[in-house]
Amino acid sequence: WKGKRTEDDFSGILNTKRLPSPESVPISERPKDKYLNHEEAYALLHCSGRNAVRDRAIIALFLCSGLRVSELCSLNLSDVIGRPRGTLEVRRKGGEYKIVEVAPEFYEALEAYLETRSDLSDLSHPLFLTTHGERINRKQVHKFLSHKQKKLGVATGTHALRHTFLSETEKIGGAAVARDLANQRSLVVTNRYVHTTSEQRQATV
């Protein structure tokens, strides 16, 4: 640099944009919460569409167990048929099979879905199938779920339902129970999935 520079000399070089205030951003463009409240979860659970019965069973299992999408897709008929209600045997993240607790509300949706299946005599078949009779995969679950979530204007993706499950179980059973239901080793990780609503905070105070 030759000579002495002042702040005014940089006025044509720097072009820093001011971030908009939250109030100035339209509601439709604001980031969605990572979880669903009770009304949103109920609306999603009672979705319609081509594969509505199957989709309701999948959504119900997410909301009633907090399974990861890979864990859900790996389930076979043998993991639910013949087992005591309230538990599933699931191959969890890491490859280890574990018993997973499931809320009883899942079974109404499950029974409705199983009534549509004609292959229940072979329990080695996948639990959730595509319209072509193949095991449903992560991409297919995410696609149909995100489509329904966007129509409702709620948080999208399978992880939003895991956030919802863990937020609700933590309120009832505490952080340690939520951690174990999530099959996580650290409460620090579990806390990332735990959220509260404005109504819950108001009721608490």
Side-chain angles (χ1 to χ4, degrees), residues 132-149:
H132 301 293
E134 301 171 347
R135 182 185 296 276
I136 199 166
N137 61 42
R138 298 173 57 173
K139 184 177 180 180
Q140 292 163 331
V141 172
H142 182 81
K143 182 177 180 179
F144 89 73
L145 185 59
S146 294
H147 174 71
K148 296 178 187 298
Q149 289 167 324

Side-chain angles (χ1 to χ4, degrees), residues 12-195:
I13 300 174
L14 300 178
N15 186 20
T16 303
K17 294 184 178 179
R18 184 183 297 275
L19 293 175
S21 65
E23 294 77 14
S24 66
V25 178
I27 294 178
S28 60
E29 298 179 11
R30 296 179 190 176
K32 298 288 191 303
D33 290 327
K34 292 182 179 180
Y35 66 103
L36 282 66
N37 61 34
H38 290 182
E39 292 75 18
E40 292 169 341
Y42 182 86
L44 183 62
L45 189 57
H46 291 79
C47 62
S48 59
R50 180 180 180 185
N51 298 298
V53 177
R54 181 206 65 188
D55 295 349
R56 288 171 191 159
I58 290 176
I59 294 167
L61 184 53
F62 277 131
L63 291 172
C64 291
S65 69
L67 287 180
R68 299 175 178 89
V69 62
S70 58
E71 296 168 344
L72 181 142
C73 292
S74 71
L75 290 172
N76 293 326
L77 291 171
S78 59
D79 296 319
V80 294
I81 296 179
R83 289 196 56 82
R85 284 197 170 210
T87 64
L88 300 176
E89 188 171 10
V90 180
R91 186 177 184 180
R92 307 226 67 169
K93 184 178 180 180
E96 184 179 358
Y97 280 89
K98 292 186 178 181
I99 300 301
V100 174
E101 291 76 14
V102 184
E105 288 79 6
F106 161 63
Y107 290 94
E108 181 179 353
L110 173 66
E111 290 169 357
Y113 170 59
L114 292 180
E115 288 179 0
T116 69
R117 297 282 295 269
S118 59
D119 60 340
L120 300 183
S121 59
D122 189 346
L123 299 185
S124 66
H125 286 183
L127 176 58
F128 296 113
L129 300 175
T130 66
T131 53
H132 301 293
E134 301 171 347
R135 182 185 296 276
I136 199 166
N137 61 42
R138 298 173 57 173
K139 184 177 180 180
Q140 292 163 331
V141 172
H142 182 81
K143 182 177 180 179
F144 89 73
L145 185 59
S146 294
H147 174 71
K148 296 178 187 298
Q149 289 167 324
K150 288 177 181 178
K151 287 180 67 176
L152 293 173
V154 301
T156 59
T158 59
H159 241 48
L161 304 188
R162 186 165 162 85
H163 278 261
T164 302
F165 172 79
L166 294 178
S167 292
E168 294 302 310
T169 52
E170 190 276 338
K171 296 179 185 70
I172 298 171
V177 171
R179 176 200 61 202
D180 292 344
L181 286 170
N183 191 39
Q184 295 168 336
R185 296 182 178 182
S186 170
L187 286 175
V188 174
V189 176
T190 304
N191 284 339
R192 299 173 188 167
Y193 291 80
V194 175
H195 311 274

